[in-house]
């Protein structure tokens, strides 16, 4: 059955339902239907309020994030927990880049913290790392924070038997967290940090709407927002007393009907998806933590909202309950799935080995769907060729997500049909050919080998001379990392690395050149012509600064490339904006002439500049 959700793809750039802390999942769940419960008699002048929950999602006007129980929020518990972990020694940043300005400010604000308290924080964090990387070691502490009451109490608010094992092992940290909050008088610092978090959260609304809307459009479905109660308690109301009998008359003394006990009403569980900034974490981090029935997506700092992480997190939110309903189907494949996963041997990620069959199935479906969306270019800053998707799925397969190729093929086959994923979910679990899935990497062996070779060639392709002035080994490593990110179209991640490098070396020509490249490439992903032109002029300015700061001895190639790249952008602007065509063309000519003036240098762009000037004279 085809659902009519195509309209969602057009209107799901949702209005921001912004929730400032304290975020309370129960209050948010109650508020979902608050307006619907109001009696019309309470507001006689107002028209009757329609319960939006009873209207199909595709038919609701002015969709918002709240229509799919999604909220953008800031959470004091996360701020305090991550502040404590930063004091406990969590200073991870990818590629060794420097800490963000906010994390440095935190350390300055807490520099006078009692050394005994710092030692207590560090000892706990180190004792429970168990060889994990910093990001993995932090994850259970995030779940713990989201399972606590608001500061200053920090008492456990979730039944211990509902906590994951890794969280249950660290519940004693709540006492240390309360001590940290009290001893550092952290309540004085919260307003300043809340302001920074709120400013970031306010940028999440539109990207979240785009990511969520396109997920629902692609899957032709609506998310499951309510689940039945985990249990229904037995009735505790005693039965009415039996009427007394009059022995003389043989009749009951009281024949009036006795009141019956009121049936117990157990509300459904309300599922929610909550997006939280996590500014004290590492750049680009994304942690999805599930507490009760709330999916919390915590996003580390990025220069642009992390739309890919929002999309992946929401995919898990949508797929999880669909998998959990397939009790019989999952039971039927559990043993074969385990055997296939264990066939990965030493390559198997031990986190997969400890997970349930339901998790493994959901994880494979989410990864496969995410890859399809990247290939189709839906709600992402990048578009992958299918060979890249096959390659990325091979990495996931080796780690234990051994059904990714099966689900990728199934999704691809159903795309032209437009069937609600709920209608074919059971069938895609029943028709798994485990013998074929065991041979998937062999099946793709030649294709993967060719693509790995292309990736290697791209990595080793001739690049501008490696000599970088005003740089140390750390800066060179960051520049190389950003270059690789740009080659795989991870422009936002590359910008994050380069902006971090620029804070350390504000006049480094190679960093400025990289920012110019990223800015110009990101402009091609924009739809608004005004924003495109604005971004292109920003790129031109970065190229100008790069040329200005280039070393005359070792970076003439960079100055020449900067002039030519800026000139090409100016030519493009001139062709597309008649209002500035004359001035842009003149500026472009001047830039080409500056490039020619440098002369021929290794790695430069002399020939391109010479050709451009000759073409102008034709």
């Amino acid at each position: 059955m085809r659902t009519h959700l195509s309209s969602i793809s057009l209107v799901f750039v949702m209005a921001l339902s912004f929730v400032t802390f304290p975020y309370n999942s129960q209050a948010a769940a109650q508020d979902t239907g608050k307006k619907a419960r109001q009696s019309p008699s309470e507001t006689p002048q107002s028209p009757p309020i329609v319960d939006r929950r009873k209207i199909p999602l595709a038919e609701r006007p002015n969709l918002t994030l709240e229509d799919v129980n999604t909220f953008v929020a800031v959470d004091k518990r996360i701020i305090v927990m991550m502040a404590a972990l930063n004091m406990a020694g969590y200073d991870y940043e990818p590629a060794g880049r420097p800490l963000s300005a906010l994390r440095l400010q935190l350390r300055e604000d807490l520099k006078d913290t009692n050394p005994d308290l710092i030692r207590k924080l560090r000892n706990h964090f180190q004792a429970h790392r168990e060889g994990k990387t910093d990001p993995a070691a932090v994850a259970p502490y995030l779940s713990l924070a989201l399972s606590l009451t608001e500061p200053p109490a920090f008492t456990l608010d979730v039944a211990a038997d509902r906590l994951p094992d890794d969280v249950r092992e660290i519940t004693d940290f709540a006492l240390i967290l309360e001590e940290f909050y009290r001893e550092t008088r952290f309540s004085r610092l919260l307003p300043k940090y809340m302001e920074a978090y709120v400013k970031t959260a306010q940028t999440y609304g539109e990207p979240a709407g785009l990511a969520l809307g396109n997920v629902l459009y692609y899957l032709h479905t609506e998310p499951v927002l309510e689940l039945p109660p985990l249990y229904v308690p037995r009735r505790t109301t005693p039965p009415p007393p039996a009427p007394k009998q009059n022995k003389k008359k043989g009749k009951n003394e009281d024949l009036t009907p006795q009141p019956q006990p009121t049936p117990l009403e157990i509300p459904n569980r309300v599922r929610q998806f909550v997006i939280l900034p996590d500014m004290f974490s590492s750049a680009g981090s994304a942690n999805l933590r599930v507490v009760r029935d709330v999916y919390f997506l915590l996003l580390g700092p990025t220069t642009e909202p992390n739309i890919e992480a929002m999309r992946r997190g929401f995919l898990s939110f949508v797929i999880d309950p669909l998998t959990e309903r397939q009790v019989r189907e999952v039971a039927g494949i559990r043993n074969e799935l385990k055997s296939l996963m264990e066939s990965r041997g030493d390559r198997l990620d031990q986190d997969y080995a400890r997970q349930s069959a339901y998790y493994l199935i959901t994880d494979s479906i989410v990864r496969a769907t995410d890859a399809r969306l990247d290939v189709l270019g839906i709600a992402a800053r990048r578009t992958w060729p299918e060979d890249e998707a096959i390659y990325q799925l091979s990495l996931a397969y080796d780690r234990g997500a051994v059904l990714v190729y099966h689900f990728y093929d199934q999704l691809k086959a159903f795309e032209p049909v437009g069937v609600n994923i709920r209608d074919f979910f059971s069938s895609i679990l029943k028709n798994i050919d485990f013998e074929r899935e065991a041979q998937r990497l062999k099946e793709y062996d030649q294709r993967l080998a060719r693509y790995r070779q292309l990736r290697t060639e791209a990595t080793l392709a001739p690049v501008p001379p490696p000599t970088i002035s005003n740089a140390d080994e750390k800066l060179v490593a960051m520049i190389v990392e950003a270059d690789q990110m740009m080659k795989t179209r991870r422009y936002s991640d590359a910008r994050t690395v380069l902006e971090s490098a620029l804070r350390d070396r504000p006049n480094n020509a190679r960093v400025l050149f990289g920012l110019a490249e990223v800015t110009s490439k990101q402009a091609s992903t924009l739809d608004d012509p005004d924003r495109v032109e604005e971004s292109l002029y920003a790129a031109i300015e970065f190229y100008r600064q790069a040329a200005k700061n280039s070393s005359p001895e070792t970076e003439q190639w960079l100055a020449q490339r900067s002039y030519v790249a800026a000139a090409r952008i100016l030519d493009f602007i001139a062709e597309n904006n008649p209002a500035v065509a004359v001035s842009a063309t003149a500026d472009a000519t001047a830039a080409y002439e500056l490039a020619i003036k440098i002369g021929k240098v290794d790695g430069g762009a002399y020939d391109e500049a010479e050709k451009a000037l000759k073409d102008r004279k034709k």
Side-chain angles (χ1 to χ4, degrees), residues 8 48 60 70 104 118 150 155-156 177 221 229 377 402 421 436-437 499 533 546 565 593:
I8 291 181
R60 296 183 197 178
T70 295
L104 291 174
I118 298 260
E150 301 173 21
T155 55
L156 197 62
L177 188 67
T221 195
V402 289
I421 191 172
R436 183 187 180 192
E437 298 313 313
E499 287 181 342
E533 189 167 301
E593 290 173 346

Side-chain angles (χ1 to χ4, degrees), residues 330-598:
V330 173
I333 66 173
R334 179 180 285 111
N335 292 335
E336 290 177 292
L337 175 58
K338 181 180 179 182
S339 297
L340 179 58
M341 179 189 67
E342 291 176 347
S343 72
R344 305 325 304 146
D346 294 339
R347 294 185 292 275
L348 175 64
D349 189 322
Q350 290 307 303
D351 284 341
Y352 278 93
R354 291 189 289 265
Q355 297 292 348
S356 69
Y358 292 95
Y359 172 87
L360 297 172
I361 291 168
T362 294
D363 183 70
S364 287
I365 295 177
V366 167
R367 290 177 182 276
T369 308
D370 198 48
R372 281 304 302 160
L373 293 172
D374 275 329
V375 170
L376 297 171
I378 297 177
R381 293 164 294 184
R382 63 183 181 226
T383 300
W384 280 354
E386 188 162 56
D387 281 347
E388 176 70 20
I390 298 298
Y391 170 73
Q392 294 294 336
L393 292 179
S394 75
L395 303 180
Y397 182 99
D398 248 352
R399 291 195 298 268
V402 289
L403 295 180
V404 286
Y405 286 122
H406 168 74
F407 292 128
Y408 184 88
D409 288 347
Q410 294 291 307
L411 290 164
K412 189 175 179 180
F414 276 96
E415 283 170 4
V417 184
V419 177
N420 189 327
I421 191 172
R422 296 192 196 186
D423 296 336
F424 70 88
F425 201 90
S426 177
S427 67
I428 65 175
L429 292 182
K430 291 178 179 177
N431 64 9
I432 300 173
D433 182 348
F434 279 95
E435 289 186 5
R436 183 187 180 192
E437 298 313 313
Q439 302 298 319
R440 281 290 194 168
L441 293 185
K442 290 184 179 179
E443 179 182 328
Y444 288 116
D445 186 51
Q446 293 184 354
R447 188 173 181 178
L448 287 169
R450 286 196 302 270
Y451 192 68
R452 289 191 189 99
Q453 180 64 28
L454 290 173
R455 288 174 60 91
T456 302
E457 290 174 357
T459 302
L460 300 177
V463 294
T467 303
I468 302 174
S469 66
N470 187 28
D472 53 19
E473 290 184 5
K474 180 179 178 181
L475 182 62
V476 172
M478 295 175 73
I479 291 171
V480 171
E481 180 191 21
D483 284 344
Q484 298 307 316
M485 288 175 172
M486 280 190 274
K487 288 177 181 177
T488 56
R489 298 186 179 89
R490 294 166 56 196
Y491 301 135
S492 181
D493 294 336
R495 178 182 288 276
T496 300
V497 173
L498 291 168
E499 287 181 342
S500 177
L502 191 65
R503 285 193 293 271
D504 189 42
R505 300 291 175 89
N507 298 319
N508 185 272
R510 186 61 180 82
V511 174
L512 291 163
F513 182 83
L515 282 169
E517 295 278 280
V518 167
T519 305
S520 63
K521 291 179 186 300
Q522 283 185 311
S524 65
T525 67
L526 303 175
D527 295 324
D528 185 344
D530 291 336
R531 290 185 62 199
V532 170
E533 189 167 301
E534 180 183 349
S535 185
L536 290 176
Y537 274 117
I540 291 170
E541 177 59 22
F542 277 128
Y543 281 126
R544 189 184 71 82
Q545 290 292 332
K548 177 182 176 182
N549 288 280
S550 61
S551 167
E553 292 79 22
T554 61
E555 292 180 329
Q556 288 291 72
W557 63 270
L558 187 146
Q560 193 170 68
R561 279 176 169 267
S562 297
Y563 288 135
V564 171
R568 286 175 175 169
I569 295 175
L570 288 164
D571 280 339
F572 175 84
I573 292 173
E575 291 176 7
N576 291 274
N577 187 350
V580 298
V582 175
S583 60
T585 300
D587 289 342
T589 300
Y592 284 128
E593 290 173 346
L594 287 171
I596 292 290
K597 187 176 180 180
I598 292 174

Side-chain angles (χ1 to χ4, degrees), residues 298-331:
L298 296 97
L299 300 177
T302 51
T303 55
E304 295 179 7
N306 194 340
I307 191 170
E308 288 86 5
M310 295 177 188
R311 191 182 68 186
R312 286 191 298 272
F314 192 66
L315 276 169
S316 295
F317 179 74
V318 172
I319 298 297
D320 260 345
L322 305 187
T323 306
E324 290 170 3
R325 290 177 177 178
Q326 309 301 317
V327 178
R328 181 180 301 174
E329 289 77 7
V330 173

Side-chain angles (χ1 to χ4, degrees), residues 101-376:
L102 195 65
R103 294 180 79 181
L104 291 174
Q105 180 62 58
L106 175 70
R107 283 158 171 74
E108 177 65 24
D109 289 339
L110 297 177
K111 65 182 180 181
D112 296 327
T113 301
N114 186 332
D116 290 337
L117 176 57
I118 298 260
R119 190 176 305 110
K120 191 180 297 186
L121 291 167
R122 288 180 179 272
N123 288 344
H124 193 284
F125 186 57
Q126 293 300 325
H128 291 84
R129 292 192 58 154
E130 299 176 345
K132 298 176 183 176
T133 61
D134 274 343
V138 163
Y141 287 90
L142 296 175
S143 290
L144 175 62
L146 295 166
S147 304
L148 300 174
T149 58
E150 301 173 21
F154 295 110
T155 55
L156 197 62
D157 195 32
V158 177
D161 60 355
R162 293 201 64 187
L163 291 173
D165 291 341
D166 60 347
V167 180
R168 196 179 304 126
E169 292 172 359
I170 62 169
T171 52
D172 59 324
F173 192 76
L175 296 175
I176 305 176
L177 188 67
E178 185 275 331
E179 181 183 354
F180 168 79
Y181 185 82
R182 173 171 37 83
E183 292 294 328
T184 61
R185 302 176 68 186
F186 200 84
S187 58
R188 298 177 305 159
L189 301 174
L190 266 177
K192 174 174 66 175
Y193 294 132
M194 284 283 288
E195 182 180 357
Y197 274 62
V198 168
K199 184 178 179 180
T200 297
Q202 287 173 335
T203 67
Y204 286 175
E206 184 174 333
L210 182 62
L212 273 58
N214 279 282
V215 164
L216 299 181
Y217 169 68
Y218 176 76
L219 297 176
H220 298 279
T221 195
E222 298 184 11
V224 176
L225 300 180
E226 291 189 14
L227 294 173
L230 289 175
Y231 67 95
V232 178
R234 295 180 179 179
R235 191 189 313 281
T236 56
T237 306
K244 296 181 180 179
Q245 189 177 36
N246 188 321
K247 295 182 179 179
K248 293 182 179 181
K249 297 182 179 181
K251 297 181 179 179
N252 291 337
E253 292 180 347
D254 185 4
L255 299 179
T256 58
Q258 297 297 317
Q260 297 298 314
T262 304
L264 295 176
E265 294 185 4
I266 308 300
N268 283 340
R269 296 145 53 198
V270 177
R271 302 181 70 241
Q272 298 170 37
F273 183 61
V274 181
I275 305 172
L276 302 171
D278 186 10
M279 308 305 290
F280 288 151
S281 192
S282 58
S285 62
N287 274 291
L288 182 66
R289 312 304 296 171
V290 182
V291 179
R292 298 189 184 94
D293 297 301
V294 183
Y295 286 58
F296 292 96
L297 178 63
L298 296 97
L299 300 177
T302 51
T303 55
E304 295 179 7
N306 194 340
I307 191 170
E308 288 86 5
M310 295 177 188
R311 191 182 68 186
R312 286 191 298 272
F314 192 66
L315 276 169
S316 295
F317 179 74
V318 172
I319 298 297
D320 260 345
L322 305 187
T323 306
E324 290 170 3
R325 290 177 177 178
Q326 309 301 317
V327 178
R328 181 180 301 174
E329 289 77 7
V330 173
I333 66 173
R334 179 180 285 111
N335 292 335
E336 290 177 292
L337 175 58
K338 181 180 179 182
S339 297
L340 179 58
M341 179 189 67
E342 291 176 347
S343 72
R344 305 325 304 146
D346 294 339
R347 294 185 292 275
L348 175 64
D349 189 322
Q350 290 307 303
D351 284 341
Y352 278 93
R354 291 189 289 265
Q355 297 292 348
S356 69
Y358 292 95
Y359 172 87
L360 297 172
I361 291 168
T362 294
D363 183 70
S364 287
I365 295 177
V366 167
R367 290 177 182 276
T369 308
D370 198 48
R372 281 304 302 160
L373 293 172
D374 275 329
V375 170
L376 297 171

